[in-house]
Amino acid sequence: MSDQQAADLIDEGEKSGIYRLTRSSSGSATIDNVVSQGEEPEVITAAFGQRQIDGNTDFRILGVVTDSINDALQDAGYTDFRALSEADIDDLAHLTSTLTESRAEAIVAEAKQHVPVGHALAERAASYYAQRSNPASGVGEARVTDLTNITETVGEPRYLSKGWDAGDERGMYVSDVGRNKTDPVPTGLHILDNPDYPGVPKAETHPDASYDALPVDEDGEVIPPAVPIDPRLQLPLDELIAKKLARGLVPIRVVGPRGSGKNYLIKYLCHKTNRGYQSIDVDRATEPEDLFGPLVPDGDVIVPRNGAVKQGLINGDTIVINEFPVMQAGAAIALHRLLNEGTLLVKSHGELVEPHPSARLIITMNPPTREYRDSEPMNSATRGRFRSFEQPYIQDIDEEVETLYPQVNGDTEVVDRTTLKRIVRFAHNTRENENWPTLSTRNLTILCEHIEDGASPKAATKNELWAVAEPNQYPEDAHETLNDIL
């Protein structure tokens, strides 16, 4: 179609009352109002739901609501989805001869999906604000923690405090997720006895939970990660990492693409075993003093001040250094004695630190592939000191769906299983085509957040594709496959 043909069509639309145009002094036209014509196309209804014809909420968008049930609900005084979602099952049942208790339960459950998310977001924000408010004044406040003032150490192994044998499975992490769900495997990684230690990752229901808290399921239990199988060792990754952590201060390296769940898996292990979790992000500017602490004046003398790594080793934390290879060689080499002998020599401090017996060290990194071309290859001398594992994306679609479903659906179902499975299937397509933007597991949680905000599943997926696209990638190349799947 030529520019003139398009202009003629728009002019015809204005004359027939379809468009209202605003014209500039130069004569160009902007459509600033559109009046719908005729019946809404089925493809639009399928994507966005039934069009609202009048001021009353049309409950027929719900799966079990018929014309008669819709009329009965409105006659009973239910004016919107929020009111319907809070309805008593007994009040709804038998409003019509076909409205049974089971149908009433389904209506209330599905109505929650259509309540404007703003109300729920406001309640969540208020809850978090209350947690971060001064108990005396009720006023929100920031919290600044001086790591050097955290001198409390992690708890003792539970087998000691309970008087159990060291090999008692009640006192260790037993891998019972993923492939090991039906045949749990004891790992030897001892559970510590102080779940209230400040560094232990908290469930989102914990009074001290923050934005990075671990999500819980409907029973209040922390949702386990989707545990992949190491492609070479052919064992579940949680089992492998836990067994290495059980060996003491054995340095571990986890290599995996962005959003594959590297940190979530480690946080989960720390949560289950009551271990302190200390995550540190490094970059090219990271120096040894950023890890171990600088020398600072104290009156007339210069004294050492502990950095995050040194203090974590003293307290018995599990220290996770993210994007480790990006650091300059000097900072990495400063850790060699710790990696080799289990003791930390801080030259600038003149100190030899023998870590707490519960201290552990893990590093994470992206694979050195084209997608992560900014990642630096690790120095071979440093690389050889680690026990290395690969964490790929989950290969099984159903397994990833079962992990994601409770994470993205809290009290209210945001995305039904059928739709979520289609989204996950499309994500697996993106991971297999190196010319498309890759949707990670983390991207899928963000995508579902967009759906909760009111976007259609297809629109949310397209937006996330655009958000993660590299400069040389075109998200539109994947749209045809997306249309076939979703």
Side-chain angles (χ1 to χ4, degrees):
M1 181 182 292
S2 69
D3 290 349
Q4 187 58 52
Q5 287 175 314
D8 290 343
L9 278 175
I10 292 173
D11 287 339
E12 290 172 15
E14 182 184 28
K15 292 175 184 177
S16 61
I18 297 175
Y19 305 129
R20 186 178 68 202
L21 303 182
T22 300
R23 298 184 183 274
S24 68
S25 58
S26 64
S28 61
T30 301
I31 299 173
D32 64 8
N33 187 59
V34 181
V35 178
S36 59
Q37 305 290 309
E39 293 297 320
E40 183 177 81
E42 289 184 6
V43 66
I44 300 298
T45 302
F48 300 103
Q50 292 283 348
R51 177 168 170 251
Q52 301 302 305
I53 305 300
D54 51 35
N56 295 325
T57 301
D58 188 349
F59 296 125
R60 287 175 295 182
I61 191 174
L62 305 180
V64 299
V65 175
T66 61
D67 290 343
S68 61
I69 292 177
N70 179 63
D71 293 340
L73 291 173
Q74 293 181 351
D75 291 342
Y78 296 103
T79 58
D80 55 35
F81 287 110
R82 184 175 179 83
L84 191 58
S85 71
E86 297 171 350
D88 187 273
I89 302 298
D90 293 334
D91 292 341
L92 293 185
H94 312 302
L95 283 177
T96 72
S97 59
T98 59
L99 186 45
T100 61
E101 286 190 10
S102 60
R103 278 193 171 185
E105 290 176 357
I107 288 172
V108 171
E110 194 175 347
K112 293 178 180 179
Q113 299 178 36
H114 298 276
V115 175
V117 72
H119 298 287
L121 292 178
E123 291 171 0
R124 291 178 208 166
S127 175
Y128 180 77
Y129 195 87
Q131 291 176 6
R132 287 294 178 265
S133 297
N134 186 308
S137 64
V139 176
E141 60 184 16
R143 297 179 184 179
V144 179
T145 303
D146 187 339
L147 293 178
T148 60
N149 291 333
I150 303 178
T151 56
E152 178 184 356
T153 57
V154 294
E156 292 295 301
R158 184 180 290 176
Y159 79 89
L160 288 176
S161 58
K162 296 289 187 179
W164 298 335
D165 182 81
D168 194 314
E169 291 185 12
R170 293 175 295 175
M172 70 175 72
Y173 174 73
V174 177
S175 172
D176 58 359
V177 294
R179 194 177 77 180
N180 291 338
K181 187 174 184 178
T182 56
D183 190 14
V185 177
T187 65
L189 178 62
H190 285 134
I191 300 171
L192 307 184
D193 65 1
N194 184 12
D196 296 322
Y197 174 70
V200 175
K202 304 296 190 293
E204 63 182 4
T205 51
H206 193 280
D208 295 329
S210 59
Y211 281 122
D212 63 346
L214 299 170
V216 298
D217 59 22
E218 58 186 8
D219 298 321
E221 296 294 325
V222 167
I223 298 170
V227 178
I229 304 298
D230 184 286
R232 281 165 288 278
L233 297 175
Q234 287 297 301
L235 288 171
L237 205 59
D238 72 313
E239 176 188 338
L240 287 169
I241 293 177
K243 286 178 176 177
K244 288 295 185 265
L245 291 173
R247 296 174 183 269
L249 192 55
V250 173
I252 298 169
R253 179 174 71 128
V254 182
V255 183
R258 57 172 178 78
S260 57
K262 300 185 291 294
N263 285 83
Y264 189 87
L265 174 56
I266 299 167
K267 285 177 71 175
Y268 177 78
L269 289 173
C270 288
H271 171 77
K272 296 293 286 186
T273 57
N274 299 328
R275 293 174 181 271
Y277 172 81
Q278 180 85 261
S279 179
I280 303 167
D281 296 321
V282 296
D283 54 36
R284 288 184 176 86
T286 300
E287 299 286 348
E289 69 173 22
D290 297 319
L291 304 176
F292 312 132
L295 294 172
V296 296
D298 183 12
D300 297 331
V301 297
I302 301 296
V303 297
R305 178 181 175 84
N306 292 348
V309 171
K310 179 183 171 185
Q311 191 65 52
L313 292 172
I314 293 172
N315 293 349
D317 291 336
T318 296
I319 299 167
V320 182
I321 303 179
N322 299 306
E323 306 307 327
F324 185 89
V326 177
M327 284 196 305
Q328 295 185 20
I333 290 173
L335 288 166
H336 276 196
R337 177 160 180 161
L338 178 67
L339 303 179
N340 286 343
E341 303 173 18
T343 57
L344 176 67
L345 177 62
V346 187
K347 296 179 183 177
S348 59
H349 294 187
E351 295 176 339
L352 181 64
V353 180
E354 185 173 347
H356 187 285
S358 292
R360 300 291 187 269
L361 179 66
I362 302 175
I363 69 168
T364 70
M365 59 180 288
N366 297 132
T369 60
R370 187 178 72 171
E371 186 174 3
Y372 307 102
R373 53 189 173 278
D374 293 332
S375 297
E376 297 292 333
M378 183 181 287
N379 178 292
S380 60
T382 304
R383 185 171 61 244
R385 289 169 164 81
F386 289 90
R387 279 67 166 176
S388 298
F389 304 111
E390 181 180 353
Q391 178 153 352
Y393 290 122
I394 296 298
Q395 301 299 307
D396 185 86
I397 292 175
D398 289 329
E399 185 178 347
E400 188 164 2
V401 169
E402 289 308 309
T403 301
L404 274 172
Y405 184 82
Q407 289 189 45
V408 302
N409 298 303
D411 297 334
T412 303
E413 186 179 63
V414 174
V415 187
D416 62 83
R417 271 192 168 83
T418 301
T419 302
L420 185 59
K421 186 170 183 177
R422 290 172 179 170
I423 292 171
V424 172
R425 183 183 299 121
F426 176 71
H428 281 236
N429 275 265
T430 69
R431 298 167 193 173
E432 296 166 0
N433 191 324
E434 63 178 17
N435 295 317
W436 292 357
T438 300
L439 292 180
S440 68
T441 304
R442 183 192 301 132
N443 293 138
L444 297 186
T445 62
I446 297 172
L447 186 159
C448 292
E449 183 183 288
H450 295 326
I451 295 174
E452 184 180 21
D453 288 343
S456 71
K458 187 179 293 186
T461 306
K462 287 183 176 180
N463 180 78
E464 201 60 20
L465 272 177
W466 164 79
V468 301
E470 296 285 330
N472 62 330
Q473 294 175 324
Y474 300 94
E476 296 79 7
D477 293 346
H479 285 180
E480 183 177 351
T481 299
L482 174 61
N483 292 336
D484 291 339
I485 293 177
L486 200 62

